[in-house]
Amino acid sequence: MDDYPPLASLSLTHVHYNPADRISYLCAWLALVPQGLCVVYATLIWSNREIEIMLMFAGQLSCEAVNWVLKRLIKEERPKEMHGKGYGMPSSHAQFVTFFSLTLTLFLLLRHQPHPTLTHTPFSFAQRAMLSLVSLLCAAAVASSRVYLSYHTPKQVLVGSAAGAVYAIFWFVFTSALRRTGWVDWALDTQIARLFRVRDLVMQEDLVDSGWVRYEERRLRRWADLGKKGI
């Protein structure tokens, strides 16, 4: 056995919690939300090829890069109760979920303009506001869980949330400028975008509704044809 090197642990989803505390157990699951959101990003990008989702994911990754730089500039340790590796200021979990929830909120309330003739069942503004509120509350729950599990101090979580919020606003303004100046349209017309069928529909169509009207028309035509055949 002495011939083998010591093994290391891949701690991507390794979370310390108190097994006797149900809230601690719940917080451990909340700690996995950023990884889950990355899976959601990848799935939506691959299945829908929406430029808006790609822009949001690019902002999410760059927000993580900012967090990496901030941690190494500030170099503040985690709470003494936590023996994990890495610096604690600002909280990357808090920054991640705040960026996601606020970016989604800005999109739903300011950028998303569902067209009644293109969308079968468009979300009303009130429904989009409610969805935004749920997203923000979930982000607050994830951020709070980091304090409960002693991975971060309240200050580290608050700074992480503030950094995520500031970057979300910056990214929304930046991508709005890209749209306004025509850079997004230019990118969509490039050969590589056309090759991968990148599209820009969720500005006016709900993501789950995209293609539904075409499917309904096809389904009704099929039933009409069967009716003509007496089936």
Side-chain angles (χ1 to χ4, degrees), residues 45-120:
I45 289 172
W46 178 254
S47 60
N48 291 285
R49 316 296 173 92
E50 278 288 336
I51 188 68
E52 185 67 25
I53 301 174
M54 295 179 185
L55 288 172
M56 187 173 176
F57 189 42
Q60 193 80 70
L61 294 178
S62 60
C63 185
E64 280 295 285
V66 169
N67 180 268
W68 188 89
V69 172
L70 288 175
K71 280 189 173 183
R72 281 148 187 82
L73 287 175
I74 301 172
K75 297 182 178 180
E76 182 173 299
E77 298 297 332
R78 294 179 183 272
K80 293 181 180 179
E81 299 86 351
M82 184 64 238
H83 302 291
K85 298 179 181 178
Y87 299 115
M89 173 67 86
S91 166
S92 58
H93 274 71
Q95 187 168 329
F96 188 104
V97 294
T98 301
F99 175 89
F100 174 83
S101 61
L102 186 54
T103 301
L104 179 63
T105 297
L106 291 171
F107 168 76
L108 289 174
L109 301 185
L110 299 181
R111 184 174 290 171
H112 182 51
Q113 302 292 332
H115 197 283
T117 62
L118 298 177
T119 302
H120 189 65

Side-chain angles (χ1 to χ4, degrees), residues 45-204:
I45 289 172
W46 178 254
S47 60
N48 291 285
R49 316 296 173 92
E50 278 288 336
I51 188 68
E52 185 67 25
I53 301 174
M54 295 179 185
L55 288 172
M56 187 173 176
F57 189 42
Q60 193 80 70
L61 294 178
S62 60
C63 185
E64 280 295 285
V66 169
N67 180 268
W68 188 89
V69 172
L70 288 175
K71 280 189 173 183
R72 281 148 187 82
L73 287 175
I74 301 172
K75 297 182 178 180
E76 182 173 299
E77 298 297 332
R78 294 179 183 272
K80 293 181 180 179
E81 299 86 351
M82 184 64 238
H83 302 291
K85 298 179 181 178
Y87 299 115
M89 173 67 86
S91 166
S92 58
H93 274 71
Q95 187 168 329
F96 188 104
V97 294
T98 301
F99 175 89
F100 174 83
S101 61
L102 186 54
T103 301
L104 179 63
T105 297
L106 291 171
F107 168 76
L108 289 174
L109 301 185
L110 299 181
R111 184 174 290 171
H112 182 51
Q113 302 292 332
H115 197 283
T117 62
L118 298 177
T119 302
H120 189 65
T121 54
F123 270 17
S124 66
F125 185 85
Q127 290 173 316
R128 283 179 276 140
M130 182 61 66
L131 180 59
S132 300
L133 178 60
V134 170
S135 175
L136 292 169
L137 290 175
C138 289
V142 173
S144 300
S145 73
R146 305 306 288 170
V147 178
Y148 195 89
L149 293 174
S150 298
Y151 273 90
H152 294 283
T153 65
K155 182 177 70 172
Q156 291 171 351
V157 166
L158 288 174
V159 172
S161 298
V166 169
Y167 199 81
I169 294 171
F170 159 76
W171 192 255
F172 184 78
V173 172
F174 173 68
T175 53
S176 295
L178 290 180
R179 285 187 173 279
R180 186 172 59 254
T181 55
W183 283 103
V184 170
D185 291 333
W186 173 84
L188 289 169
D189 287 335
T190 59
Q191 287 297 323
I192 189 169
R194 301 288 296 168
L195 176 65
F196 287 98
R197 299 184 180 184
V198 182
R199 62 201 70 176
D200 190 20
L201 293 176
V202 295
M203 292 281 287
Q204 292 186 309

